[in-house]
Amino acid sequence: MTKTKTPTVLLDCDTGIDDALALILLAALHRAGRITLAGVTTTAGNTTAEQAARNTRWILGLAGIGEEVPVVAGEAGPVVVDLVTTPETHGPTGLGYAQAPAAEVGYDWQGLWREVLQDDGDALLVVTGPATNAAVWSRANALPKHITLMGGAYLYPGNTTPTAEWNSWVDPHAAKELFGAVTRPITVCALGVTEQMLLTPKLLEESVAALGDCALAKVLEPMLRFYFEFHQAQGEGYLAQVHDLLAVMIALGIVDVEAHTLRVDVEADSALLRGTTVADFKGHWNQPANARLIIQANVAQAWDVWREALGLLRAFHSAS
Ligand code: BDR
Ligand code: CA
């Protein structure tokens, strides 16, 4: 009988409230031995790369993961344009009304990628922030075989401009460079799918209750209250779209999806269309596919996965 290998995961994020939920999921699965979270690197987007690293370390710590999982700050800003962060979406330091303590962070993100990718050539790289690190990496190194990217809005309204999604808008040149560099289609989780996963106040209440007296339980509410208020101010209702949580589940293959494999590209230089993503559904460009664009995901199943992860964290806490 062949034994299935435990997936190795390298997360590249800009923590960020929904990135934090993705980290909580990964922490639970890592502690349960279902994945190996080999490292986390950060990009600048929702907040600075340094602050994202502090946020990451704090969230992982609250989820019971210490220094055994390295957390390193990545590139300080986009490859061409100036950095813009989004305190109005994710709060002054990225975690809504919650605040990570001050902490030293490391900077050798390429060293960490090298180590992880040399150890396991099948490692899953999941990018839930701007594609800056991945683009820089692609200039001198082979890209990992398995990449999942949260970003873009394909035939779908943007959340930053009428046509652009935030991660693609922050560093459009990086997104374009990454899609130009890949040698096999990467999995793309764009707004058309990720906006389907909506965390409601009721689900938050259930999530907090599911965690029992884990330290994390006290942080979820102030983080998500900020995110609910942001979405309400945007006219979406008092709820939160949790893009990165769904993207990580899709990367791990633990929710059912439908996908189209095709060519995509990103507009980087026009002011009007900065960060606009285009998918060649009809093959007009006659170019090889570079994306496995997710067009449907089973969100009910995703919430079951989330509930199970919180139950695992509670069980680990009770056993400690
Ligand atoms: C993406 O932008 C960020 O604000 C979120 O963390 C997510 O990665 C959604 O557009
Ligand atoms: Ca993010």
Side-chain angles (χ1 to χ4, degrees), residues 14 16 18-19 46 86 89-90 128-129 150 159 165-167 191 227 243-244:
D14 61 338
D18 56 333
D19 305 78
N46 290 331
T86 184
T89 311
H90 292 270
T128 63
M150 190 283 131
N159 61 1
E165 177 278 335
W166 173 254
N167 290 335
L191 293 185
Y227 218 23
H243 315 273
D244 298 342

Side-chain angles (χ1 to χ4, degrees), residues 147-182:
I147 304 177
T148 299
L149 177 74
M150 190 283 131
Y154 295 86
L155 297 180
Y156 192 85
N159 61 1
T160 304
T161 73
T163 56
E165 177 278 335
W166 173 254
N167 290 335
S168 301
W169 184 87
V170 170
D171 198 344
H173 298 88
K176 188 176 183 68
E177 191 174 341
L178 174 64
F179 284 122
V182 299

Side-chain angles (χ1 to χ4, degrees), residues 9-120:
V9 178
L10 175 60
L11 179 69
D12 186 53
C13 56
D14 61 338
T15 318
I17 298 167
D18 56 333
D19 305 78
L21 301 182
L23 283 163
I24 292 167
L25 173 77
L26 291 173
L29 299 179
H30 176 87
R31 292 185 72 191
R34 298 190 196 169
I35 64 162
T36 300
L37 181 58
V40 183
T41 56
T42 61
T43 46
N46 290 331
T47 184
T48 63
E50 278 186 353
Q51 186 59 45
R54 278 183 217 112
N55 294 349
T56 299
R57 175 49 73 211
W58 187 50
I59 294 293
L60 286 180
L62 290 169
I65 292 199
E67 302 290 326
E68 74 272 15
V69 175
V71 175
V72 180
E75 295 293 304
V79 294
V80 174
V81 294
D82 290 339
L83 173 63
V84 180
T85 60
T86 184
E88 63 283 5
T89 311
H90 292 270
T93 59
L95 293 180
Y97 292 117
Q99 164 96 51
E104 293 288 309
V105 300
Y107 295 93
D108 183 14
W109 70 269
Q110 297 209 34
L112 178 57
W113 280 37
R114 206 164 294 119
E115 200 179 300
V116 172
L117 299 173
Q118 269 167 12
D119 275 3
D120 185 351

